[in-house]
Amino acid sequence: MSKDLEIHSLSAVEHLLVHCPDRVRYVWIQSENSRAKHLEKLARAAGIPIEFPRGKKEGEDSVRAKILPFQYQELKPFLETLRPTNRSLVLALDHLQDPQNFGALCRSAEGLGLHGVLLPRDRSVVVTPGVYHASVGAVATLPIVSVANLGEALRKLKEDGFWIVGTTLGEGATELSAMPDFEKIVLVLGAEWEGLSASVEKLCDWRLHIPLQGKVQSLNVSAAGAILMYA
């Protein structure tokens, strides 16, 4: 059974209290600054229990929240929600490992209006308190789909009319500006060091790279992902 999560990010706590307070069990507040009072007001309005511990220790967070375990979505119902839409953009992560990169990508994906994120269950990052922090709570309002086999999930999306677009620095990759304007896209990003796995790359209809002008010839996956999602 999944355990409750405890998050310490003020921005993440605020995002949850505003957009999905039903996921918050209770809040600790150990500060009287304006930000903490605002969060206290949100919690009270939502009927969430609040504790005011005394004796805040040095380095201890001023606001914390206990929240329900994260609920991943299943692929089949997720696909059903996409079928009525004319234009869809989904992010798929091919065994990403770093929680900070995952959180940053989810923050960009949610902010840019993506329809969801796919990630494999094994050998992959999961939603942790650190991911809530890095995403400023965006994971709470972004569908995240956990799949047993990423390749099989991509095949199902292809059957539903999606173009699979992967990112790579290898030969044969197309510059971002040259990609056609498809209506339904799955953007696939690889792991931090390995990039796309061979089996996933074979499923890609298009392979893209971002042309760089400086001496550095690669970008962090979260930076590259933000550029590609916006484009």
Side-chain angles (χ1 to χ4, degrees):
M1 182 179 292
S2 300
K3 295 182 179 180
D4 289 347
L5 300 178
E6 186 177 308
I7 59 173
H8 302 245
S9 163
L10 289 173
S11 296
V13 173
E14 182 176 16
H15 188 85
L16 281 157
L17 290 174
V18 170
H19 298 289
C20 36
D22 57 312
R23 298 193 193 179
V24 182
R25 289 194 185 276
Y26 49 91
V27 176
W28 294 276
I29 297 177
Q30 290 183 275
S31 174
E32 295 185 358
N33 62 35
S34 59
R35 187 82 181 275
K37 286 188 175 299
H38 172 63
L39 297 181
E40 179 186 346
K41 183 178 179 181
L42 291 174
R44 289 191 185 283
I48 297 167
I50 307 171
E51 293 184 17
F52 299 93
R54 295 183 178 181
K56 182 176 179 294
K57 299 176 182 177
E58 184 177 352
E60 191 173 25
D61 296 283
S62 58
V63 176
R64 295 174 290 143
K66 181 79 76 174
I67 64 173
L68 295 172
F70 187 81
Q71 294 296 313
Y72 298 92
Q73 295 197 14
E74 296 293 327
L75 182 62
K76 185 176 179 180
F78 174 69
L79 289 177
E80 289 173 355
T81 66
L82 297 182
R83 284 175 184 140
T85 61
N86 294 322
R87 296 182 69 86
S88 302
L89 178 56
V90 174
L91 179 66
L93 304 176
D94 185 10
H95 296 94
L96 196 76
Q97 299 295 316
D98 185 82
Q100 295 301 308
N101 283 332
F102 182 36
L105 284 165
C106 288
R107 180 177 184 174
S108 296
E110 205 279 347
L112 292 170
L114 268 71
H115 289 82
V117 177
L118 303 183
L119 71 164
R121 290 187 190 127
D122 297 326
R123 296 181 292 111
S124 175
V125 68
V126 296
V127 176
T128 63
V131 172
Y132 269 95
H133 181 89
S135 73
V136 296
V139 289
T141 46
L142 176 70
I144 298 179
V145 184
S146 178
V147 297
N149 185 300
L150 184 60
E152 185 60 30
L154 294 176
R155 291 186 187 92
K156 290 184 183 298
L157 282 154
K158 274 194 175 192
E159 292 171 2
D160 268 26
F162 279 81
W163 292 82
I164 311 301
V165 178
T167 57
T168 177
L169 295 174
E171 293 183 6
T174 303
E175 283 197 12
L176 175 57
S177 60
M179 195 187 86
D181 183 24
F182 299 122
E183 291 187 343
K184 296 195 172 191
I185 296 173
V186 181
L187 173 65
V188 191
L189 302 178
E192 286 82 359
W193 299 107
E194 293 81 5
L196 294 179
S197 60
S199 59
V200 167
E201 188 169 351
K202 287 179 181 177
L203 292 170
C204 293
D205 302 300
W206 283 77
R207 293 183 299 153
L208 293 182
H209 74 91
I210 301 170
L212 301 176
Q213 304 301 316
K215 293 181 174 59
V216 171
Q217 286 300 299
S218 65
L219 295 173
N220 174 277
V221 64
S222 63
I227 292 169
L228 292 162
M229 284 186 276
Y230 179 77

